[in-house]
Structures are given as C-alpha cells and as structure tokens.
Amino acid sequence: MSSPLGLYQPGDSPLHRTPAGWKFLGLIAFATVIVVFDEPVPLALGGVAVLVGFVTARIGPGRVFRMMRLLLVLLAAVFALQWWLIGPESATVVCLRLLVAISAANLFTLTTRIGDLVSAIERGLSPTRGLGVRPELLGLLVGLTVQAVGALSTIAEQTRQAQRARNATRSVSAFAVPFLVRTLRHADELGEALAARGVGDTAPEEPERSEHAPPERGDD
C-alpha cells in the first residue's frame, strides 16, 4: 500500500529498481524537452512514452485514472479558456504539455521512495558543501515538494469520497471547505514534524564585544 502522504506504489519493475537520482535527472530532462516542444505531435509522442512507463511499472489503469481524474477536469477548463483566448491549436499544445509533464511527475512519485530521492540529492550535492550549500536542506525541500503532490491528491480524493457519501456532489462548499481544512491540518502536522527535526533552527549569535569595552570584573 502506498503512503498516505505520498503516491509511492511498491513494486519490482525496472523503473522501481532504477536509482532515484538517475530517475530524477531523467524527469528534469524529460520536462525540459516537453517545454521546448510546441507542436501537438511531439507532445503526443511524449505522452505515449509516459504511458509505456506506466505499463512497464505495472501501474493499474484504475490507479492512474484516480490520480488523473481531477487533473483532467482542470485541464478541460484550461482548454476551454485557452481556446477562447489563443485558439484551438495553441490550447491543445498547452494542455498536452501540462498533461504529459504532470503524468511523468506522477509516474516518478509512484516508483520512487521520497527517502531515496532525498538521500540521492544529498549525495549528489555533497561536493558543494564547501561552498556553503546545505545538501540536506535542499534534499528535504525537493522531497517535500514532490511529496506535496501526493498529499494533496490523497486529500482531494478523500474529500471527494466523503462528499459523495453525504450525497453532496453538486455542492462546491461541501468539497472546498473540508479540502481547505484538511490541507491546513496537513501543513500544521508537517510544520511540527520539521520543527521536531530542528529544521529552521539557528544557533543564537553571541553579542559582539566592543574593543573599547572594559573587561568584566569578578565579584570581590
């Protein structure tokens, strides 16, 4: 079972066994190529490549649909707006680009443990420690960013299920209010976890002694 705070799905596919660092670099390269393409056909081929990745990772169609359902609804609204503003072809490019890039990111999170990603970033950036860079904080930042996708997706799905259970599927407030409350609660729990790890704590600076200040005297 995947973590409630992430999308990771255990498995032994080639994608699962690929080191997290290499997968992360591949995701960055793939997203860069997707941004460069401005034609529907290359973007569609990128979508086929992501689909092959889901099949290779043995991710079931039902799981993929549950992950992408809300995104498809949002993309439909974006497509309609972009069609009205810039025309159908440009709207298709924009929505395909978003769909392919986000699908690739979801595939990455489904096949990569957050802890493995954080460790890979820390190891990769360790040579920069002498330049004042803190690899552990950068790794944690990237890990939290990726994890946020899974957390918000899980919260949205749980809220939607509760909304259907109350027969309030047509009520916007029945979804928006619980979703906001759960999101804020998650952010509060995350802040407490980071504080427990000492993230953000800094050592108090000692006040500088003036050169002309008289030396302290001991008690007579």
Side-chain angles (χ1 to χ4, degrees):
M1 180 177 296
S2 62
S3 168
L5 295 181
L7 295 176
Y8 177 72
Q9 178 170 309
D12 59 354
S13 71
L15 281 177
H16 285 84
R17 295 195 299 268
T18 302
W22 289 111
K23 278 190 288 186
F24 186 60
L25 291 176
L27 176 63
I28 294 176
F30 183 79
T32 302
V33 172
I34 291 301
V35 170
V36 172
F37 286 151
D38 57 359
E39 295 291 336
V41 174
L43 291 172
L45 293 176
V48 172
V50 175
L51 181 60
V52 170
F54 278 110
V55 174
T56 302
R58 295 189 282 274
I59 307 298
R63 179 73 189 277
V64 176
F65 176 73
R66 288 193 298 272
M67 288 172 50
M68 304 298 292
R69 180 169 49 191
L70 181 59
L71 174 63
L72 293 175
V73 173
L74 295 176
L75 285 179
V78 171
F79 181 79
L81 178 61
Q82 294 294 317
W83 184 318
W84 179 60
L85 292 175
I86 58 179
E89 183 175 353
S90 297
T92 301
V93 170
V94 170
C95 290
L96 273 177
R97 185 177 288 151
L98 289 172
L99 178 62
V100 174
I102 295 176
S103 298
N106 282 335
L107 177 60
F108 175 81
T109 58
L110 281 166
T111 59
T112 309
R113 291 184 177 89
I114 298 298
D116 293 341
L117 174 61
V118 173
S119 298
I121 293 176
E122 290 180 3
R123 290 194 301 270
L125 295 179
S126 58
T128 65
R129 193 181 298 275
L131 302 176
V133 177
R134 300 181 64 183
E136 64 278 1
L137 288 184
L138 290 178
L140 182 61
L141 176 61
V142 173
L144 290 175
T145 302
V146 174
Q147 191 183 56
V149 177
L152 293 179
S153 298
T154 302
I155 292 172
E157 181 62 25
Q158 292 174 347
T159 305
R160 181 66 68 184
Q161 291 177 358
Q163 185 184 21
R164 286 197 295 266
R166 295 194 302 269
N167 294 324
T169 55
R170 296 185 178 181
S171 173
V172 176
S173 61
F175 174 82
V177 174
F179 177 76
L180 179 61
V181 171
R182 292 185 180 192
T183 301
L184 293 175
R185 184 181 302 160
H186 170 69
D188 186 58
E189 293 173 353
L190 180 59
E192 292 179 355
L194 292 175
R197 293 187 59 177
V199 176
D201 292 342
T202 57
E205 297 182 357
E206 296 183 359
E208 296 183 357
R209 184 187 300 276
S210 172
E211 296 181 357
H212 304 288
E216 295 182 358
R217 295 182 179 178
D219 295 336
D220 294 334

